[in-house]
Amino acid sequence: MGQKICAIITDKKCQYDKELVHFFEENIVIIPLDLNGSTIEYFIKEADNFNTIKEYLQYLKTLPIYDTQTYSTDYDHNITSVVNIIETYELKNFSIRYYTEWADIPDDDFYIAIINGEIKKDSIVLEDDKYIENYNNREKYNNIIGLNFSWIANEKRYFNYNNAKEVYNENII
């Protein structure tokens, strides 16, 4: 089994709910998510059809999937969870990354950035040829958000959601 982690990375520092697994690291906040790859891939791919995160979230709320556990009940989060986190904390600058590897070989590496509430279409990275050129834009958007290190390299914390949750619960005050 290899690393499998998804997270929202934002520059918004605020009082996050204690029940929400999150970490303050340098100038950013990392919010690990327990999502399957199909769910986050769907979320990112559909975002390509919208210009702002606000209009995209409104659209998602109209779909039948919004009120259901998308694709699997084996995960703590779903589309609704992602929407709720973004809206509750009024996130305007953030990225979402889903990274998996098998036997130390990267497998899935999905990404999207939202800057000042705008969906940056040239940030979207999926396993579709349409998005291959966007891979090099991630660094630009990470720098805008304030992410200047490889958070996924911290496998003790970000190996998977359960590791993140365990570390978080150990350090909760």
Side-chain angles (χ1 to χ4, degrees):
M1 195 85 164
Q3 186 175 7
K4 178 182 175 188
I5 190 71
C6 183
I8 297 173
I9 297 95
T10 183
D11 60 359
K12 176 116 185 216
K13 294 175 194 77
C14 66
Q15 189 68 30
Y16 289 89
D17 188 312
K18 276 177 63 171
E19 299 301 313
L20 179 67
V21 176
H22 64 283
F23 300 95
F24 293 94
E25 296 217 19
E26 296 186 19
N27 297 320
I28 59 163
V29 179
I30 299 175
I31 305 168
L33 301 170
D34 187 24
L35 289 169
N36 81 16
S38 297
T39 301
I40 200 61
E41 183 178 27
Y42 170 84
F43 181 89
I44 293 171
K45 191 169 193 162
E46 287 300 305
D48 193 21
N49 297 311
F50 297 87
N51 293 318
T52 68
I53 193 64
K54 185 176 180 176
E55 68 182 349
Y56 180 44
L57 298 181
Q58 290 303 104
Y59 166 75
L60 287 173
K61 290 181 190 180
T62 68
L63 300 178
I65 63 162
Y66 182 73
D67 291 322
T68 62
Q69 195 75 8
T70 307
Y71 297 107
S72 174
T73 57
D74 297 334
Y75 297 88
D76 285 353
H77 297 111
N78 55 29
I79 297 288
T80 306
S81 305
V82 176
V83 171
N84 288 342
I85 291 167
I86 294 167
E87 288 186 335
T88 299
Y89 300 105
E90 299 175 350
L91 302 182
K92 302 287 183 231
N93 290 326
F94 65 95
S95 65
I96 298 176
R97 185 169 182 193
Y98 175 83
Y99 175 82
T100 65
E101 63 182 38
W102 182 256
D104 295 329
I105 299 169
D107 189 17
D108 293 326
D109 197 356
F110 308 147
Y111 181 88
I112 187 170
I114 289 72
I115 305 298
N116 295 322
E118 293 181 24
I119 296 168
K120 297 301 182 181
K121 296 179 187 220
D122 67 339
S123 75
I124 296 173
V125 174
L126 294 167
E127 291 180 356
D128 184 330
D129 289 344
K130 174 182 176 182
Y131 304 106
I132 286 179
E133 292 180 19
N134 294 347
Y135 185 84
N136 293 328
N137 294 329
R138 287 196 316 195
E139 185 175 353
K140 170 177 71 171
Y141 292 115
N142 284 341
N143 286 334
I144 291 170
I145 293 166
L147 176 62
N148 56 16
F149 62 94
S150 176
W151 64 275
I152 61 172
N154 182 350
E155 288 189 20
K156 180 178 181 346
R157 183 174 281 179
Y158 304 116
F159 185 76
N160 59 37
Y161 179 78
N162 289 332
N163 281 48
K165 187 175 182 178
E166 186 176 306
V167 170
Y168 177 76
N169 287 332
E170 287 173 1
N171 295 308
I172 213 167
I173 298 174

